[in-house]
């Protein structure tokens, strides 16, 4: 249901205003020009007639009143116009009527401004005058050498009637166009309003968390593009909502499992008959579960800091070769436990401008991902290299690779690959990428069957100068 001032009313009003403005512009372009052309055409014709009559009159005696009356009456009858011959007296200049085809009943032309101007200048003068409630075209031509003036005047009633007819036609056309615009505008606005209402309903569905119904609009205009954007947003929100639900389930499982284990171990540890060896084994398992909880809490805390923009990173010279060696030493037990071969390929020092702790954290996430998500016996290699202006630390594995439909999502938060080897909270790779970006770097993936490489690339740092050897001072 439309409301006053809604988009439907505004579209209709805009269309009517556009049509009205177009008609007004056409009126201003046509009507004044038409009136001017009709008057000018009348004056051109009268000017030609005036010159012809002045030439014909030159052969007559301007003082022959009988002959002059006959001349002006014949001229008026021939050209269907009023013809008057005026004599010039003075100074001061004044005109007097010698002969006038209109007779004595018509208003005198003795003070006609066009006639006075022609007598004063000695040149032909033409123009439009208003008298006796009407408009007239007037042409005055001097009569040489007598010094008199011949004046031709003719009503412009026919020309002005034509102009009024055109004005009425424009007014009628404007009303018809406005009515058509109103009807068509209302129909078009109703169609667009319905489309917008559908988009509004779709937005409301999305706002309350209903992501299953697609947003459909078959138009190829801006509203159609908006519908496509809405549907893309719906799909992304559905994926995010699904990931959120999966994360809640995974996090609940990740938290519940170590908590149950801790509760069980603590209860067993209270048994006074427990031997020392078993008690020690329970304590080790308890420590592992605490570490597992600590890692999950740390991951969540890092994500919250990154989202809030409060994660602080240092900018210092970090040797990625040393980082790779530390990583190999730290993860060798994990590799051995899972039957993997872990190798370090870092023949020289590779210096990066980064945060040493965060580099180790990101690299650990990449290496653990390779060790945990590949089958037993997979070879994993950690490389440290320079690539142009970048210092890189890459984790390569010779596992089965990542399916193509999973490649675009491996860095998504909460995403966990499907399969028997999938585990964890799905935050490691996402955090690694976020940490790399905070340090001005990137994490990229290259994969094919039998070969997968995650590469951490950071800005290269200048190679630090070696520390000077201490000088022994003898005493």
């Amino acid at each position: 249901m439309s409301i006053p001032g809604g988009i439907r009313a505004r579209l209709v009003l805009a269309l009517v205003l556009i049509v009205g403005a177009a008609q007004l512009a056409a009126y201003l372009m046509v009507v004044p020009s038409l009136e001017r052309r009709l008057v000018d055409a009348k004056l051109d014709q009268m000017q030609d007639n005036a010159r012809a009559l002045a030439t014909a009159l030159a052969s007559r005696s301007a003082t022959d009143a009988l002959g002059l009356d006959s001349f002006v009456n014949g001229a008026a009858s021939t050209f269907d116009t009023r013809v008057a011959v005026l004599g010039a007296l003075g100074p001061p200049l004044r005109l007097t009527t010698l002969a006038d085809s209109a007779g004595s009943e018509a208003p005198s032309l003795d003070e006609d401004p066009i006639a006075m101007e022609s007598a004063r200048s000695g040149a032909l003068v033409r123009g439009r005058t208003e008298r006796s409630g009407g408009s007239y075209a007037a042409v005055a031509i001097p009569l040489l050498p007598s010094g008199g003036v011949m004046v031709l005047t003719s009503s412009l009633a026919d020309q002005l009637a034509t102009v009024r007819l055109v004005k009425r036609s424009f007014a009628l056309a404007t009303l018809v166009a406005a009515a058509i615009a109103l009807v068509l505008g209302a129909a078009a606005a109703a169609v667009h309003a319905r489309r917008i209402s559908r988009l509004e309903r779709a937005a409301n569905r999305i706002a309350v968390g209903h992501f299953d119904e697609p947003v459909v609009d078959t138009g190829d205009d801006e509203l159609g593009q908006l519908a496509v954007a809405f549907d893309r947003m719906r799909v992304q929100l559905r994926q995010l909502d699904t990931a959120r639900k999966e994360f809640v389930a995974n996090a609940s499982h990740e938290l519940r499992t170590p908590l149950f284990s801790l509760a069980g171990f603590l209860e067993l540890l209270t048994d006074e008959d427990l031997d020392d060896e078993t008690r020690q084994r329970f304590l080790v398992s308890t420590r592992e579960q605490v570490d597992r909880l600590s890692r999950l809490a740390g991951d969540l805390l890092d994500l919250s800091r990154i989202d809030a923009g409060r994660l602080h990173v240092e900018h210092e010279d970090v040797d990625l070769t040393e980082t790779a060696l530390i990583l190999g030493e730290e993860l060798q037990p994990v590799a051995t436990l899972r039957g993997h071969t872990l190798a370090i390929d870092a023949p020289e020092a590779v210096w990066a401008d980064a945060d040493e702790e965060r580099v180790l954290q990101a690299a650990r996430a990449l290496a653990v991902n390779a060790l945990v998500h590949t089958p037993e016996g997979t070879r994993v290699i950690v490389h440290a290299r320079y690539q142009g202006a970048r210092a890189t630390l890459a984790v390569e594995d010779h596992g089965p690779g990542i399916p193509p439909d999973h490649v675009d999502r491996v860095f998504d938060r909460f995403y966990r690959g499907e399969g028997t080897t999938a585990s964890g909270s799905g935050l490691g790779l996402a955090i690694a990428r976020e940490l790399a970006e905070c340090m001005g770097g990137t994490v990229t993936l290259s994969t094919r069957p039998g070969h997968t490489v995650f590469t951490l690339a950071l800005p290269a740092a200048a190679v630090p100068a070696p520390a000077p050897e201490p000088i022994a001072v003898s005493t």
Side-chain angles (χ1 to χ4, degrees):
M1 180 178 180
S2 62
I3 59 175
I7 189 170
R8 182 182 302 183
R10 294 179 184 179
L11 286 174
V12 173
L13 180 60
L15 186 57
V16 171
L17 289 177
I18 290 173
V19 171
Q23 289 293 105
L24 178 60
Y27 174 86
L28 294 176
M29 292 174 61
V30 172
V31 173
S33 175
L34 175 63
E35 183 174 349
R36 185 169 55 254
R37 290 180 183 180
L38 291 176
V39 173
D40 287 345
K42 183 69 173 179
L43 289 171
D44 290 341
Q45 181 185 10
M46 293 175 62
Q47 179 176 313
D48 293 340
N49 294 340
R51 284 175 174 164
L53 289 175
T55 302
L57 188 59
S59 62
R60 294 174 174 268
S61 174
T63 60
D64 183 357
L66 180 60
L68 192 58
D69 286 340
S70 176
F71 177 83
V72 297
N73 289 329
S77 176
T78 301
F79 297 115
D80 191 22
T81 186
R82 179 182 179 183
V83 180
V85 176
L86 309 178
L89 303 175
L93 178 65
R94 64 182 185 277
L95 300 177
T96 180
T97 301
L98 300 180
D100 190 343
S101 64
S104 59
E105 295 83 4
S108 174
L109 299 177
D110 293 350
E111 297 182 358
D112 185 79
I114 294 177
M116 291 292 291
E117 179 64 24
S118 178
R120 185 179 298 110
S121 64
L124 184 144
V125 179
R126 52 186 275 178
R128 178 176 174 177
T129 62
E130 305 290 334
R131 62 175 180 268
S132 303
S135 294
Y136 293 84
V139 176
I141 186 170
L143 298 174
L144 300 176
S146 65
V149 176
M150 179 185 295
V151 181
L152 279 68
T153 63
S154 180
S155 174
L156 294 173
D158 291 342
Q159 287 76 12
L160 297 181
T162 301
V163 173
R164 287 193 296 272
L165 177 62
V166 173
K167 289 181 178 180
R168 287 195 297 270
S169 299
F170 261 105
L172 180 60
T174 300
L175 291 176
V176 173
I180 294 174
L182 188 64
V183 174
L184 295 181
V191 172
H192 283 78
R194 284 196 295 271
R195 295 173 64 189
I196 293 174
S197 296
R198 286 198 298 269
L199 292 179
E200 181 185 6
R201 291 193 296 271
N204 289 332
R205 289 197 305 271
I206 294 173
V208 297
H210 297 160
F211 306 118
D212 295 333
E213 186 175 347
V215 182
V216 179
D217 189 286
T218 57
D220 57 355
D221 53 7
E222 287 78 1
L223 285 179
Q225 296 172 4
L226 180 61
V228 172
F230 267 32
D231 196 61
R232 186 163 55 246
M233 178 186 68
R234 175 192 65 84
V235 172
Q236 292 174 349
L237 288 175
R238 182 178 62 183
Q239 293 173 350
L240 183 60
D241 186 62
T242 301
R244 179 186 60 81
K245 293 177 180 177
E246 291 176 353
F247 169 72
V248 170
N250 294 334
S252 299
H253 173 72
E254 291 289 324
L255 291 170
R256 184 172 60 249
T257 300
L259 288 174
F260 283 170
S261 298
L262 287 173
F265 289 140
L266 290 174
E267 184 176 350
L268 292 173
L269 287 171
T270 60
D271 189 353
E272 297 180 356
D273 297 333
L274 198 65
D275 61 90
D276 291 340
E277 180 180 357
T278 303
R279 186 184 303 275
Q280 187 64 31
R281 189 170 66 252
F282 285 171
L283 288 173
V284 171
S285 298
T286 300
R287 179 64 182 176
E288 291 175 352
Q289 298 302 326
V290 171
D291 290 342
R292 184 177 177 183
L293 286 174
S294 298
R295 285 195 300 271
L296 180 60
D299 288 345
L300 294 175
L301 182 59
D302 285 339
L303 281 178
S304 66
R305 287 174 176 172
I306 291 172
D307 289 338
R310 296 200 305 267
L311 182 69
H312 177 71
V313 295
E314 299 288 344
H315 287 278
E316 54 190 351
D317 294 335
V318 180
D319 185 0
L320 298 187
T321 297
E322 182 179 355
T323 301
L325 295 174
I326 293 174
L327 201 62
E329 182 179 355
E330 177 183 332
L331 297 180
Q332 188 60 55
V334 178
T336 302
L337 180 64
R338 291 183 171 271
H340 290 68
T341 300
L342 179 61
I344 306 299
D345 178 21
E348 59 180 358
V350 178
W351 294 95
D353 180 15
D355 185 312
E356 183 175 7
E357 180 182 353
R358 297 303 181 181
V359 169
L360 183 59
Q361 181 181 356
R364 184 187 296 114
L366 301 181
V368 169
N369 178 75
L371 293 173
V372 171
H373 295 279
T374 53
E376 182 180 350
T378 301
R379 179 176 174 81
V380 178
I381 308 173
V382 181
H383 303 274
R385 293 283 189 275
Y386 282 113
Q387 291 183 359
R390 293 281 184 170
T392 64
L393 192 150
V395 178
E396 173 188 358
D397 72 70
H398 297 276
I402 299 175
D405 56 338
H406 289 221
V407 170
D408 293 335
R409 299 190 59 194
V410 293
F411 292 107
D412 291 349
R413 296 182 182 185
F414 317 131
Y415 178 75
R416 299 170 69 246
E418 298 176 357
T420 56
T421 60
S423 64
S425 62
L427 297 176
L429 294 180
I431 292 177
R433 184 180 64 174
E434 301 266 7
L435 291 176
E437 292 176 353
C438 289
M439 294 183 288
T442 59
V443 175
T444 58
L445 166 64
S446 173
T447 183
R448 65 176 187 269
H451 187 260
T452 298
V453 181
F454 284 91
T455 303
L456 170 63
L458 298 167
V463 178
E469 293 290 338
I471 301 175
V473 179
S474 61
T475 58

